Amino acid sequence: MAMVAARAGVSGQTVSRVVNDSPRVDPVTRERVEAAMAELGYRPHRAARALRTGRSMTIGVVAQTLATVGNSALLQAVAEAAEARGYALAVVTLGAAGRIGDAFDRLRDQGVDGAVVLNEASALARDVDPAGLVLVVVDAPADPRFAVIGTDHAAGARVATAHLLDGGAATVHHVAGPEGSFAAAERERGWREELAARGARIPEPLRGDWSAGSGHALGGILAADPEMTAVFAANDQMALGLLRALADAGRRIPADVAVLGFDDIADAAEFRPPLTTIRQDFAALGEKAVQILIDRVEGQTLPDPALLVPTLVARASA
């Protein structure tokens, strides 16, 4: 650091401020210090900084699985937001056992400053005492022990259901997500509420596991009902399997059956036909989760933010 200060013609304190991204450095000086750092190959020593500040500059992430597109997209968003702030990630997946208490213990052993809990794992977080671990939980009911951020899944489901009803469907069938998922429950709630508000019949939902395979299996059941003309799938992967099952049964989309998904994954526009869906802003969700976590680590206990409102993306399937 002394060598960088000498090369840039500034004090060691100024170099420290640049390294710690302090706003108290004018842009010209910051550029000169960063150029000196690059020339000398200087890299901040994370372990030394942790000893000095009492913070590891590492964020934990807990996920049930990374096999679902939603979890992977959200992890990517958290990773990018953390990297932009100079934080590293420690990722723990729970798998089928789902022992989130063990995951919290592992993260404490690694000395993380706090952790973000993703999606399905949020239900498990409600049953375990975080014991001093600063948490931001994505998609969960309010809880005094941790901060909560999420998407307004119920609002998105209402928009989806309204779109299908406005397209002429007498009612809308639903391929729901798995039991225990807060997001799945909220999407099912919004679907039910919109049908009830319109006075439409509420069919019994069929429950999948977020995978395209489960969507295909349940699509075969729905395709056998000649009265079925519209389906809202709780995510795009299940909608993909549903599209294939309906096509296999000779049901034309959208002429015979309108199909609408949720998430707007990267390939949704490449489905056949391109999938009408509800778009979640994963980048904004990850950004907010990381910012809230860092604020709390730094002692700022701000109110939980409003839910992010998803939007309809109209394509050819509905």
Side-chain angles (χ1 to χ4, degrees), residues 7-267:
R7 178 68 63 92
V10 299
S11 68
Q13 189 175 32
T14 298
V15 176
S16 179
R17 287 175 180 153
V18 171
V19 168
N20 290 291
D21 202 26
S22 169
R24 297 169 56 197
V25 182
D26 71 81
V28 173
T29 301
R30 182 181 300 277
E31 185 176 344
R32 193 162 74 247
V33 171
E34 289 175 345
M37 290 166 63
E39 290 171 11
L40 295 171
Y42 171 79
R43 294 174 60 85
H45 194 287
R46 188 177 296 272
R49 182 189 294 180
L51 287 171
R52 185 179 72 254
T53 65
R55 290 169 54 188
S56 67
M57 300 299 289
T58 301
I59 291 173
V61 178
V62 181
Q64 185 83 49
T65 176
L66 296 179
T68 62
V69 174
N71 281 3
S72 296
L74 189 50
L75 175 62
Q76 179 67 28
V78 168
E80 290 176 358
E83 171 65 25
R85 291 166 173 79
Y87 279 75
L89 286 191
V91 181
V92 179
T93 55
L94 304 179
R99 297 177 61 85
I100 198 167
D102 292 345
F104 288 166
D105 288 342
R106 289 172 60 187
L107 291 175
R108 288 191 198 92
D109 289 345
Q110 295 181 60
V112 301
D113 294 328
V116 178
V117 182
L118 306 185
N119 302 338
E120 294 86 2
S122 67
L124 302 173
R126 300 197 297 269
D127 300 327
V128 176
D129 183 359
L133 187 62
V134 181
L135 294 182
V136 173
V137 179
V138 178
D139 288 338
D143 192 302
R145 298 171 301 163
F146 45 71
V148 173
I149 180 64
T151 295
D152 194 338
H153 301 284
R158 289 194 294 269
V159 169
T161 306
H163 180 79
L164 293 169
L165 292 173
D166 291 344
T171 190
V172 177
H173 289 71
H174 184 41
V175 174
E179 292 277 7
S181 166
F182 179 80
E186 286 294 286
R187 292 173 196 180
E188 183 176 337
R189 178 171 71 85
W191 162 76
R192 288 182 182 277
E193 288 177 350
E194 187 64 27
L195 289 179
R198 299 288 195 101
R201 178 176 65 89
I202 303 177
E204 188 67 25
L206 301 179
R207 196 165 302 284
D209 63 4
W210 297 131
S211 70
S214 70
H216 182 263
L218 298 175
I221 297 171
L222 290 170
D225 179 1
E227 302 299 318
M228 188 273 301
T229 62
V231 187
F232 165 45
N235 78 335
D236 290 349
Q237 286 174 288
M238 292 194 297
L240 173 61
L242 178 64
L243 290 174
R244 180 187 162 210
L246 293 171
D248 289 347
R251 305 291 295 273
R252 297 170 300 162
I253 303 163
D256 299 328
V257 182
V259 175
L260 197 150
F262 203 112
D263 285 338
D264 194 30
I265 63 174
D267 295 330

